[in-house]
Amino acid sequence: MQIWQNEIHINILFCFCNFLHSQILLVALLGAFINPLFADESYQFINSGNNGETVYNTITINRQVNVAMLNSYSGRLTSNAVFDYSQNIIAYHMPYRGICIVAHMDIATFPSLPRFEELIHTHREKKKEVEDLLKNYQVTNQVVTDVSQFGGAVAGLCWGIPTYWASENTSPRQGIGANGCAGVKLLFLRVGLCGGIHLF
Protein backbone atom coordinates (compact mmCIF):
# COMPACT_ATOMS: atom_id res chain seq x y z
CA MET A 1 0.00 0.00 0.00
CA GLN A 2 2.79 2.41 0.90
CA ILE A 3 4.62 1.60 -2.36
CA TRP A 4 1.43 2.23 -4.38
CA GLN A 5 0.95 5.62 -2.67
CA ASN A 6 4.57 6.55 -3.36
CA GLU A 7 4.10 5.71 -7.03
CA ILE A 8 1.03 7.98 -7.14
CA HIS A 9 3.01 10.82 -5.55
CA ILE A 10 5.85 10.34 -8.03
CA ASN A 11 3.42 10.36 -10.99
CA ILE A 12 1.72 13.52 -9.71
CA LEU A 13 5.09 15.24 -9.26
CA PHE A 14 6.16 14.15 -12.75
CA CYS A 15 2.97 15.54 -14.30
CA PHE A 16 3.33 18.79 -12.33
CA CYS A 17 6.92 19.22 -13.54
CA ASN A 18 5.83 18.66 -17.13
CA PHE A 19 3.06 21.23 -16.64
CA LEU A 20 5.53 23.80 -15.28
CA HIS A 21 7.89 23.14 -18.17
CA SER A 22 5.12 23.71 -20.70
CA GLN A 23 4.05 26.92 -18.94
CA ILE A 24 7.61 28.26 -18.88
CA LEU A 25 7.98 27.45 -22.58
CA LEU A 26 4.69 29.21 -23.35
CA VAL A 27 5.76 32.32 -21.41
CA ALA A 28 9.09 32.33 -23.23
CA LEU A 29 7.37 32.16 -26.61
CA LEU A 30 4.95 34.93 -25.70
CA GLY A 31 7.86 37.01 -24.42
CA ALA A 32 9.61 36.65 -27.76
CA PHE A 33 6.56 38.21 -29.42
CA ILE A 34 5.74 40.86 -26.84
CA ASN A 35 9.16 42.28 -25.91
CA PRO A 36 9.76 44.12 -29.22
CA LEU A 37 6.52 46.01 -28.67
CA PHE A 38 7.65 47.69 -25.44
CA ALA A 39 8.21 51.07 -27.02
CA ASP A 40 10.80 53.70 -26.14
CA GLU A 41 8.71 56.19 -28.14
CA SER A 42 5.06 56.22 -29.11
CA TYR A 43 3.29 58.60 -31.48
CA GLN A 44 -0.32 59.14 -32.52
CA PHE A 45 -1.60 61.05 -35.55
CA ILE A 46 -5.03 61.69 -37.00
CA ASN A 47 -5.41 62.64 -40.63
CA SER A 48 -7.85 62.31 -43.52
CA GLY A 49 -7.77 59.50 -46.04
CA ASN A 50 -8.11 59.79 -49.81
CA ASN A 51 -11.91 59.73 -49.56
CA GLY A 52 -12.14 62.11 -46.59
CA GLU A 53 -12.41 59.37 -43.97
CA THR A 54 -10.68 59.77 -40.60
CA VAL A 55 -7.48 57.74 -40.27
CA TYR A 56 -5.86 57.01 -36.90
CA ASN A 57 -2.12 56.30 -37.03
CA THR A 58 0.06 54.95 -34.23
CA ILE A 59 3.81 54.42 -34.34
CA THR A 60 5.88 52.64 -31.71
CA ILE A 61 9.67 52.49 -31.68
CA ASN A 62 11.95 50.25 -29.64
CA ARG A 63 15.56 51.33 -30.02
CA GLN A 64 16.87 48.42 -27.93
CA VAL A 65 15.85 45.91 -30.60
CA ASN A 66 15.79 48.41 -33.51
CA VAL A 67 12.13 47.86 -34.38
CA ALA A 68 9.44 50.27 -35.55
CA MET A 69 5.77 49.34 -35.81
CA LEU A 70 3.15 51.33 -37.72
CA ASN A 71 -0.61 50.94 -37.47
CA SER A 72 -3.18 52.69 -39.61
CA TYR A 73 -6.82 52.35 -38.54
CA SER A 74 -9.23 53.33 -41.30
CA GLY A 75 -12.06 50.89 -41.24
CA ARG A 76 -11.87 48.18 -43.87
CA LEU A 77 -8.51 49.38 -45.17
CA THR A 78 -6.74 49.11 -41.80
CA SER A 79 -3.12 47.99 -42.20
CA ASN A 80 0.02 47.41 -40.13
CA ALA A 81 3.75 47.25 -40.73
CA VAL A 82 6.90 46.23 -38.88
CA PHE A 83 10.38 47.50 -39.74
CA ASP A 84 12.98 45.30 -38.08
CA TYR A 85 16.34 47.02 -38.58
CA SER A 86 18.22 44.25 -36.76
CA GLN A 87 16.93 41.62 -39.18
CA ASN A 88 16.71 44.01 -42.19
CA ILE A 89 13.17 42.73 -42.73
CA ILE A 90 9.95 44.60 -43.51
CA ALA A 91 6.52 43.09 -42.95
CA TYR A 92 3.18 44.46 -44.11
CA HIS A 93 -0.12 43.11 -42.81
CA MET A 94 -3.42 43.78 -44.57
CA PRO A 95 -6.25 42.39 -42.41
CA TYR A 96 -8.85 43.09 -45.11
CA ARG A 97 -6.88 40.81 -47.47
CA GLY A 98 -6.02 38.30 -44.76
CA ILE A 99 -2.32 38.17 -45.73
CA CYS A 100 1.14 39.27 -44.62
CA ILE A 101 3.94 40.34 -46.95
CA VAL A 102 7.62 40.16 -45.96
CA ALA A 103 10.57 41.60 -47.85
CA HIS A 104 14.23 42.37 -47.31
CA MET A 105 14.92 45.96 -46.28
CA ASP A 106 17.08 47.77 -48.79
CA ILE A 107 19.30 49.69 -46.36
CA ALA A 108 20.64 51.79 -49.25
CA THR A 109 17.23 53.36 -49.93
CA PHE A 110 15.14 52.76 -46.80
CA PRO A 111 15.54 55.43 -44.08
CA SER A 112 17.50 54.36 -41.02
CA LEU A 113 15.70 54.23 -37.67
CA PRO A 114 17.10 57.63 -36.54
CA ARG A 115 16.10 59.14 -39.90
CA PHE A 116 12.67 57.56 -39.60
CA GLU A 117 12.22 59.16 -36.16
CA GLU A 118 13.35 62.49 -37.61
CA LEU A 119 10.66 62.26 -40.28
CA ILE A 120 8.06 61.50 -37.61
CA HIS A 121 9.08 64.56 -35.55
CA THR A 122 9.02 66.75 -38.66
CA HIS A 123 5.54 65.50 -39.51
CA ARG A 124 4.31 66.03 -35.94
CA GLU A 125 5.73 69.53 -35.56
CA LYS A 126 4.68 70.45 -39.11
CA LYS A 127 7.85 72.47 -39.64
CA LYS A 128 7.70 71.46 -43.28
CA GLU A 129 5.82 69.03 -45.47
CA VAL A 130 7.26 65.51 -45.29
CA GLU A 131 7.69 64.05 -48.74
CA ASP A 132 5.95 60.71 -49.16
CA LEU A 133 8.22 57.67 -48.98
CA LEU A 134 7.32 55.47 -51.95
CA LYS A 135 8.00 51.73 -51.94
CA ASN A 136 6.92 49.16 -54.52
CA TYR A 137 7.05 45.37 -54.23
CA GLN A 138 6.38 42.38 -56.42
CA VAL A 139 4.73 39.71 -54.30
CA THR A 140 5.74 36.17 -55.18
CA ASN A 141 3.83 32.92 -54.73
CA GLN A 142 6.49 31.74 -52.27
CA VAL A 143 4.76 31.03 -48.96
CA VAL A 144 6.73 31.66 -45.76
CA THR A 145 6.07 28.65 -43.55
CA ASP A 146 8.08 29.79 -40.51
CA VAL A 147 7.66 33.48 -39.65
CA SER A 148 9.54 33.00 -36.37
CA GLN A 149 12.82 33.06 -38.35
CA PHE A 150 12.36 36.83 -38.70
CA GLY A 151 12.23 37.55 -34.97
CA GLY A 152 9.49 38.25 -32.49
CA ALA A 153 8.13 41.50 -33.96
CA VAL A 154 7.46 40.09 -37.44
CA ALA A 155 6.26 36.78 -36.01
CA GLY A 156 3.86 38.62 -33.71
CA LEU A 157 2.43 40.51 -36.69
CA CYS A 158 2.12 37.58 -39.12
CA TRP A 159 1.67 34.54 -36.86
CA GLY A 160 -1.09 32.28 -38.19
CA ILE A 161 -1.63 34.44 -41.30
CA PRO A 162 -0.75 33.38 -44.87
CA THR A 163 2.60 35.10 -45.48
CA TYR A 164 4.35 35.66 -48.81
CA TRP A 165 7.80 36.82 -49.90
CA ALA A 166 8.12 40.00 -51.95
CA SER A 167 10.96 41.70 -53.79
CA GLU A 168 11.30 45.46 -54.06
CA ASN A 169 10.90 47.17 -57.43
CA THR A 170 12.51 50.49 -58.29
CA SER A 171 9.35 51.75 -60.03
CA PRO A 172 5.65 51.01 -59.59
CA ARG A 173 3.73 48.68 -61.83
CA GLN A 174 0.73 50.24 -63.54
CA GLY A 175 -2.69 49.43 -62.19
CA ILE A 176 -2.62 49.85 -58.40
CA GLY A 177 -5.98 48.62 -57.20
CA ALA A 178 -6.46 46.39 -60.26
CA ASN A 179 -4.74 43.54 -62.07
CA GLY A 180 -3.51 41.97 -58.85
CA CYS A 181 -2.24 45.13 -57.14
CA ALA A 182 -3.05 46.89 -53.89
CA GLY A 183 -1.89 50.04 -52.14
CA VAL A 184 -1.07 50.59 -48.48
CA LYS A 185 -0.87 54.07 -46.91
CA LEU A 186 0.87 54.36 -43.54
CA LEU A 187 1.21 58.04 -42.61
CA PHE A 188 3.86 59.33 -45.06
CA LEU A 189 4.71 55.83 -46.33
CA ARG A 190 3.00 54.77 -49.55
CA VAL A 191 3.42 51.13 -50.52
CA GLY A 192 2.48 49.48 -53.80
CA LEU A 193 2.08 45.68 -53.68
CA CYS A 194 1.56 43.70 -56.87
CA GLY A 195 1.12 39.94 -57.12
CA GLY A 196 -1.26 37.34 -58.39
CA ILE A 197 -4.93 38.19 -58.69
CA HIS A 198 -5.62 35.46 -56.10
CA LEU A 199 -3.82 37.68 -53.53
CA PHE A 200 -5.38 41.04 -54.41
Side-chain angles (χ1 to χ4, degrees):
M1 185 68 174
Q2 183 66 35
I3 295 176
W4 180 70
Q5 289 179 338
N6 287 341
E7 288 180 351
I8 292 177
H9 291 157
I10 291 173
N11 287 333
I12 293 175
L13 182 60
F14 178 76
C15 292
F16 180 69
C17 288
N18 281 341
F19 172 78
L20 282 180
H21 181 268
S22 63
Q23 293 302 301
I24 292 171
L25 181 59
L26 177 61
V27 171
L29 289 172
L30 289 175
F33 290 160
I34 295 173
N35 282 344
L37 306 183
F38 290 163
D40 293 320
E41 297 289 346
S42 181
Y43 308 90
Q44 295 181 349
F45 300 93
I46 300 176
N47 61 290
S48 297
N50 295 330
N51 299 318
E53 72 278 12
T54 300
V55 181
Y56 300 91
N57 301 277
T58 64
I59 301 173
T60 56
I61 293 176
N62 188 326
R63 300 187 194 95
Q64 294 181 354
V65 292
N66 292 321
V67 168
M69 172 172 279
L70 288 77
N71 303 286
S72 177
Y73 304 98
S74 56
R76 190 181 72 84
L77 299 181
T78 291
S79 53
N80 322 93
V82 163
F83 307 147
D84 191 328
Y85 289 87
S86 295
Q87 303 277 345
N88 287 337
I89 288 289
I90 299 172
Y92 300 105
H93 173 219
M94 293 177 287
Y96 66 100
R97 297 291 184 182
I99 60 173
C100 256
I101 308 296
V102 293
H104 287 295
M105 180 187 295
D106 185 353
I107 58 175
T109 60
F110 202 84
S112 64
L113 188 56
R115 174 57 180 159
F116 188 72
E117 287 194 79
E118 183 181 333
L119 291 172
I120 294 171
H121 284 289
T122 300
H123 181 85
R124 183 180 63 178
E125 297 168 7
K126 297 182 178 181
K127 292 180 178 180
K128 62 179 180 179
E129 190 69 22
V130 176
E131 185 177 350
D132 283 341
L133 176 62
L134 306 177
K135 289 293 176 181
N136 300 281
Y137 301 89
Q138 181 66 38
V139 183
T140 71
N141 291 323
Q142 182 182 353
V143 178
V144 178
T145 57
D146 180 17
V147 293
S148 65
Q149 64 182 300
F150 305 122
V154 173
L157 183 69
C158 299
W159 189 264
I161 302 171
T163 303
Y164 299 87
W165 267 110
S167 57
E168 186 173 349
N169 293 331
T170 55
S171 59
R173 197 178 90 181
Q174 297 298 318
I176 297 295
N179 299 322
C181 291
V184 174
K185 178 77 163 64
L186 294 158
L187 207 59
F188 49 77
L189 175 65
R190 293 183 180 270
V191 181
L193 298 165
C194 289
I197 295 178
H198 69 287
L199 294 178
F200 304 115

